[in-house]
Amino acid sequence: MGVTLVVFLLLHASGDPTHFMLPQDATESDRQAFRHAHGLDQPLWIQYGWFLWNAARGDLGRSFAYRAPALEVLMGRVPATLELALASTLLALLVGIPSGVIAAFRQNSAFDYLVMVSATLGQSIATFWLGLMLVMFVSVQLGLLPASGRGSWAQLILPAITLSTWLLALLARMTRSAVLEVLRREYIRTAYAKGLAPRAVLVRHALKNALIPIVTLLGVSFSYQMGGAVVVETVFNWPGVGTLMFDSVLRRDYPVVLTTVLFVGLAFVAVNFLVDVLYGAIDPRIRLSSVSGSR
Amino acid sequence: MAGPAASRRLSGRAFVRVSLVTVVAALLTVCAHVVPPRTAPVKPGEAAAQAKPQLDEWVIAFSEDISGLDPLTTTTGAIYYNVFYHVFDTLVGYEGRNFTPTPRLAESWKYVNENTLEMKLRKGVKFHNGDDFTADDVLYTYQGHKDNAKLGSGYVFDPVEKLEKVDAHTIRWITKGAVASLMPNIAQVLFIVPKSRARMGEEAFGKRPVGTGMYRLAADWRRDQPVRLTANETYWGGPGASPPRLQFKFIREPSTRVAELQNGTVHVAENIPLPQVELLKRGANTDVVAMKGARIIMHSFNLGKDPFTNVKVRQAINHAIGRDVIVKSLLQGYGQPHVGLFAPGWMGDGAKVEPYTLNVEKARRLLGEAGLPNGFEFEWQVTEGVFLKDREIAEAVAAQLKQAGITARLKITERATIFSNFFAGNYAVISTQWPTTADPDRYLQWLFIRTKAVNDAKEAEPVRQMMGEARRILDPAKRAQKYQEMSKLVYDSGMLMFVHVQDELYGIDKRTGWTPYPVRALATMHWYATHPTIKR
């Protein structure tokens, strides 16, 4: 709610939707009529009050641009965003964690250097540029994949790779250092001393303990992924929530902006909740201590 | 510690190996499946080998979002107009470089008296749903505009007293006095919808709008999806629209539009960025075509604020600008110096004026005569990325002004802020733009009435008076003369900072042979020009 108030005030403080929803040279009386029809001629605090009152009853207003309920407009975009987010996160997990683990086990090997150099590059590369380069080489030059749009699996690959690069690189680096850290612990030595095979040590003791910081990272990276999504959605013409928010801010489509902000806020809370739950699943001690701590 | 991972007998290295292999395999499989269906770019040899290089479907990419397809709820954005001109008809059209009024659904028209315009409507025209087109449909569409102030078409219909039906195929526009801009304005706004729209309901009509146009919807349109059209075989102008299918698609990012053009998956794309023009020109299948002088970039002075109240200061600024270098090097030749008040081809263009040339001496002398021998400083509000090289051009002009001792402080800001400040008159100098238009009145209203700073200024009083007179002159030749007079007055007294008129750039697939026409309807105009069999 605090977020919506800030966004609400910022939006209303600058610009006027009638400049975008009506012809450039619409008359002042037409503009007044538009403002009146959407309640924009009311004092700000009344408008915000109405927004909260209606939102509490599940009505988030109608989009000025699309002339449809803002929630409906948003929900039309959510599947595309989820698809892209899941695909890129999965890719980052499946490639990033294993490479980090191998790099840690083979510290200072050629593979380790390769992972570290690629990870540094991957983290510092501009998403926008990477996306354009992928389109240029993979799509235009090699003709392997479509350049943009959504609909087939093929169209998901390039945007997913582009969006996952940053997270993938981060995960690889974090995993490597977390595993290295764990490998120096005494219980690992004990495990080896028990005569366990190296793989068993890795999975049962090392990886499991290294997972905690990685899960934390995943939760934190969510907001970054949302920002990156705007860029990736733009380059690949992916009809997602990021560009909807971007466009709606530019044309001052207040109801859609507020609805999207609410959605992103809720998603953020949900992801962090999920992270907390995962902690418990990975390490029962966290679950116990937080329960006893809160009582 | 018996977690799920430990209970499985999967070894560490095997886990890593399996996941890596899975990802790579998945990627390869998908790639392999994708290659065949993709439209391969046509190599020059292949193109010659094909008997008919024509495309069955053109995909047209726009830089603006599609927010609706109902002309009675949507009036903004180029894409709507383009789709509208294909699905619907207007009563008259304005075609060609000089905007010649051409019959569409109105077969003929005449002024019964100064404030009565009578139109004979075409007979035997059918809407896509089989309804007959009659005067009632025109009345219904007109009423739709009157009832929905949110459409913002008041500038067209406020001067209309009423629209009368004389018989099933005759209507009369009764205006409040003579209104010369009525016809060109309704040609841009009044897309005729059937009166049965009321029965269909707004929502259903928005999904599958019904018109009398050359194309009809091929399928229901859904938000965030392209608009697919197919030729209307019962078109009143005769069948044979080619290509038989059209797709209008929104692609936000210019580089993506270019990539799709290169891939042969988009065939006409608007707003091509200058740095990528060469790339498309070099391509075997792609090209760039320019619509000459399509957009005027206007830099308004605040005529009510010192020192811009002084004609000598304004002339000094106009003499301190070197336009050729801006057009040649910054715009790569895709533009021309702005001479006179209008763009080439507009009514009122061709006024006999002495073009401003770069003359720093003269600029300094004029400043001295105005009592500002040491120059002065002002703030200039301009956008970035809205029109070609907007920021770069402003920077170049500012550097040129500096030579004459004038300091322009650039304030780069977004469009919403520019509009607000323009309307309220909160500026010293501000940049806006106007696209090519059939009637200069709207453009003039924008420059001299919509912005409070100029509307309240005494300087502009004679211009407003001439505008009022021109609006009442029904004879186009005489009206053009009035606009030329006005153009000379405004230009000579430097009421704007005249810099340049910009071309509109389109990327095309060579197989389309598409050329732009100076009307917003991108494709229809092309077909009218290239298909002489289609009745006008």
Side-chain angles (χ1 to χ4, degrees):
Chain A
M1 201 178 115
V3 181
T4 60
L5 180 62
V6 171
V7 172
F8 185 87
L9 291 178
L10 277 179
L11 276 178
H12 282 76
S14 68
D16 177 346
T18 65
H19 297 146
F20 301 95
M21 304 301 159
L22 299 181
Q24 186 174 331
D25 60 338
T27 59
E28 192 49 39
S29 62
D30 279 353
R31 287 182 201 281
Q32 286 300 349
F34 181 93
R35 290 187 199 112
H36 183 73
H38 292 285
L40 297 171
D41 51 353
Q42 305 272 334
L44 273 187
W45 62 273
I46 292 187
Q47 286 187 47
Y48 186 65
W50 272 117
F51 166 74
L52 285 184
W53 171 245
N54 287 329
R57 296 181 309 159
D59 174 11
L60 291 161
R62 289 176 77 83
S63 159
F64 301 156
Y66 299 105
R67 284 164 303 277
L71 192 63
E72 189 190 304
V73 172
L74 172 70
M75 284 307 152
R77 299 286 191 104
V78 166
T81 295
L82 282 184
E83 193 179 305
L84 185 58
L86 282 180
S88 67
T89 310
L90 217 64
L91 189 66
L93 285 173
L94 289 182
V95 181
I97 294 185
S99 0
V101 171
I102 299 178
F105 256 68
R106 304 260 166 87
Q107 202 189 352
N108 296 330
S109 70
F111 182 82
D112 183 23
Y113 288 130
L114 181 75
V115 168
M116 289 317 287
V117 169
S118 332
T120 313
L121 273 179
Q123 262 190 287
S124 47
I125 216 163
T127 316
F128 188 75
W129 184 82
L130 177 69
L132 286 182
M133 288 300 121
L134 282 177
V135 168
M136 228 168 92
F137 288 109
V138 180
S139 177
V140 176
Q141 300 286 336
L142 301 176
L144 285 176
L145 293 167
S148 73
R150 172 175 179 251
S152 67
W153 275 101
Q155 284 166 315
L156 177 61
I157 297 175
L158 290 184
I161 292 178
T162 312
L163 186 56
S164 74
T165 306
W166 180 82
L167 183 61
L168 194 157
L170 194 64
L171 276 177
R173 283 170 57 120
M174 282 294 286
T175 309
R176 178 179 173 275
S177 54
V179 171
L180 277 180
E181 174 79 25
V182 170
L183 286 179
R184 285 190 209 107
R185 294 293 173 83
E186 302 215 327
Y187 56 79
I188 297 289
R189 233 182 285 160
T190 314
Y192 278 123
K194 278 197 295 190
L196 281 181
R199 314 167 189 173
V201 175
L202 170 74
V203 174
R204 221 185 269 180
H205 299 286
L207 197 55
K208 211 164 168 223
N209 283 295
L211 268 180
I212 300 278
I214 295 168
V215 169
T216 314
L217 180 78
L218 272 180
V220 177
S221 76
F222 173 76
S223 59
Y224 187 90
Q225 293 282 87
M226 274 309 295
V230 176
V231 174
V232 173
E233 284 172 16
T234 301
V235 173
F236 294 99
N237 216 37
W238 190 264
V241 174
T243 41
L244 176 69
M245 175 139 75
F246 187 72
D247 288 344
S248 303
V249 169
L250 277 189
R251 61 185 169 217
R252 302 292 188 275
D253 196 344
Y254 303 145
V256 177
V257 178
L258 289 170
T259 307
T260 316
V261 166
L262 267 181
F263 169 80
V264 173
L266 286 177
F268 198 80
V269 171
V271 164
N272 280 298
F273 176 73
L274 208 70
V275 166
D276 283 351
V277 171
L278 271 178
Y279 282 159
I282 296 167
D283 189 346
R285 286 173 304 176
I286 294 178
R287 193 167 50 204
L288 287 173
S289 66
S290 67
V291 168
S292 59
S294 63
R295 290 283 148 86
Chain B
M1 281 220 327
S7 64
R8 261 195 265 138
R9 289 270 157 187
L10 183 63
S11 71
R13 205 178 294 169
F15 165 70
V16 169
R17 217 180 284 147
V18 167
S19 54
L20 271 179
V21 166
T22 318
V23 170
V24 172
L27 281 177
L28 286 179
T29 324
V30 179
C31 286
H33 279 289
V34 166
V35 181
R38 184 183 165 274
T39 328
V42 180
K43 304 272 164 350
E46 284 172 26
Q50 281 169 356
K52 265 193 175 174
Q54 274 166 353
L55 293 157
D56 282 347
E57 183 182 47
W58 288 11
V59 181
I60 299 173
F62 286 88
S63 51
E64 279 177 83
D65 198 356
I66 310 168
S67 75
L69 292 180
D70 179 359
L72 289 186
T73 52
T74 305
T75 47
T76 49
I79 189 156
Y80 323 117
Y81 285 99
N82 283 285
V83 178
F84 286 180
Y85 274 112
H86 293 93
V87 176
F88 305 97
D89 276 304
T90 49
L91 293 171
V92 281
Y94 276 72
E95 290 175 20
R97 280 222 67 91
N98 297 310
F99 305 105
T100 320
T102 320
R104 291 271 178 89
L105 286 181
E107 227 166 11
S108 64
W109 52 85
K110 65 166 194 277
Y111 278 93
V112 177
N113 58 44
E114 203 188 60
N115 55 357
T116 309
L117 172 64
E118 187 177 280
M119 288 179 166
K120 290 276 178 208
L121 303 179
R122 206 176 284 277
K123 286 176 185 158
V125 175
K126 281 195 185 299
F127 284 98
H128 300 153
N129 63 357
D131 287 6
D132 285 318
F133 161 71
T134 68
D136 291 327
D137 301 305
V138 182
L139 262 62
Y140 173 78
T141 310
Y142 167 76
Q143 202 54 44
H145 274 270
K146 291 298 266 187
D147 292 345
N148 186 359
K150 285 193 275 174
L151 276 176
S153 46
Y155 65 92
V156 179
F157 299 113
D158 285 353
V160 176
E161 186 81 48
K162 63 178 170 189
L163 176 62
E164 276 180 0
K165 172 183 169 183
V166 179
D167 60 46
H169 290 96
T170 313
I171 53 165
R172 275 184 176 182
W173 296 91
I174 318 288
T175 53
K176 301 166 184 161
V179 183
S181 55
L182 177 67
M183 272 220 323
N185 279 347
I186 60 174
Q188 283 191 43
V189 173
L190 201 67
F191 296 94
I192 306 299
V193 302
K195 58 180 188 295
S196 55
R197 172 183 172 278
R199 215 178 46 239
M200 290 179 230
E202 218 171 83
E203 194 134 323
F205 191 82
K207 277 186 182 139
R208 187 174 271 216
V210 171
T212 54
M214 197 188 277
Y215 287 83
R216 57 184 173 77
L217 269 280
D220 281 4
W221 174 72
R222 292 204 327 265
R223 201 170 39 245
D224 304 326
Q225 297 290 322
V227 180
R228 292 169 203 275
L229 305 183
T230 179
N232 171 15
E233 291 307 323
T234 60
Y235 184 52
W236 56 265
S242 78
R245 282 175 296 128
L246 278 180
Q247 196 186 123
F248 291 91
K249 198 175 181 180
F250 163 51
I251 300 182
R252 175 186 292 99
E253 169 57 34
S255 310
T256 311
R257 291 198 290 275
V258 170
E260 294 280 17
L261 271 170
Q262 290 177 295
N263 278 352
T265 39
V266 158
H267 309 108
V268 179
E270 67 167 3
N271 288 347
I272 300 299
L274 276 175
Q276 279 165 320
V277 166
E278 268 314 297
L279 187 70
L280 288 178
K281 279 189 168 279
R282 275 204 314 269
N285 312 314
T286 53
D287 201 358
V288 171
V289 286
M291 186 161 110
K292 283 276 160 210
R295 218 191 288 202
I296 301 188
I297 314 299
M298 301 95 72
H299 312 284
S300 295
F301 290 125
N302 187 330
L303 293 179
K305 196 170 167 183
D306 283 332
F308 302 112
T309 46
N310 190 328
V311 58
K312 290 198 167 149
V313 171
R314 301 194 304 259
Q315 287 168 338
I317 289 181
N318 274 306
H319 274 298
I321 300 170
R323 295 160 184 84
D324 291 338
V325 61
I326 287 169
V327 169
K328 270 191 202 118
S329 48
L330 280 178
L331 287 175
Q332 298 170 23
Y334 291 112
Q336 51 193 297
H338 186 187
V339 178
L341 181 53
F342 306 105
W346 292 24
M347 183 182 266
D349 178 43
K352 287 190 179 57
V353 291
E354 183 66 38
Y356 287 106
T357 47
L358 176 62
N359 188 339
V360 180
E361 294 283 288
K362 192 169 179 183
R364 282 186 180 276
R365 200 175 65 237
L366 284 165
L367 279 179
E369 288 169 19
L372 292 165
N374 299 320
F376 66 102
E377 205 176 313
F378 69 88
E379 187 186 78
W380 178 1
Q381 300 180 37
V382 67
T383 45
E384 180 165 18
V386 173
F387 49 91
L388 284 181
K389 300 271 177 193
D390 38 9
R391 181 190 184 143
E392 289 89 340
I393 288 172
E395 280 167 351
V397 170
Q400 290 173 338
L401 292 178
K402 195 88 193 162
Q403 301 295 313
I406 303 163
T407 307
R409 272 179 292 110
L410 293 191
K411 192 177 168 200
I412 312 291
T413 180
E414 59 153 347
R415 215 143 53 120
T417 318
I418 291 263
F419 280 154
S420 293
N421 288 344
F422 181 77
F423 280 83
N426 292 331
Y427 60 88
V429 173
I430 196 164
S431 303
T432 57
Q433 49 168 336
W434 199 265
T436 248
T437 169
D439 192 88
D441 191 54
R442 287 178 68 187
Y443 162 73
L444 293 170
Q445 291 203 33
W446 174 261
L447 280 180
F448 294 98
I449 293 177
R450 290 288 187 269
T451 165
K452 193 169 157 33
V454 178
N455 190 37
D456 292 353
K458 262 203 211 79
E459 289 285 310
E461 189 48 46
V463 182
R464 278 193 297 276
Q465 206 162 353
M466 288 166 109
M467 275 172 65
E469 289 165 24
R471 222 175 291 153
R472 289 189 294 273
I473 305 175
L474 297 175
D475 177 0
K478 283 188 186 145
R479 190 163 170 238
Q481 220 168 7
K482 191 52 125 188
Y483 284 127
Q484 286 184 349
E485 263 174 62
M486 187 190 304
S487 173
K488 187 166 170 56
L489 170 72
V490 171
Y491 192 77
D492 288 349
S493 61
M495 284 191 200
L496 299 174
M497 185 163 78
F498 295 96
V499 182
H500 75 287
V501 176
Q502 169 207 305
D503 297 350
E504 213 68 65
L505 299 180
Y506 298 94
I508 59 159
D509 186 312
K510 278 182 190 160
R511 289 172 291 178
T512 59
W514 185 84
T515 44
Y517 284 78
V519 174
R520 277 169 159 179
L522 275 185
T524 332
M525 289 303 109
H526 173 76
W527 289 305
Y528 276 122
T530 53
H531 293 74
T533 53
I534 287 177
K535 234 186 337 185
R536 302 277 189 109

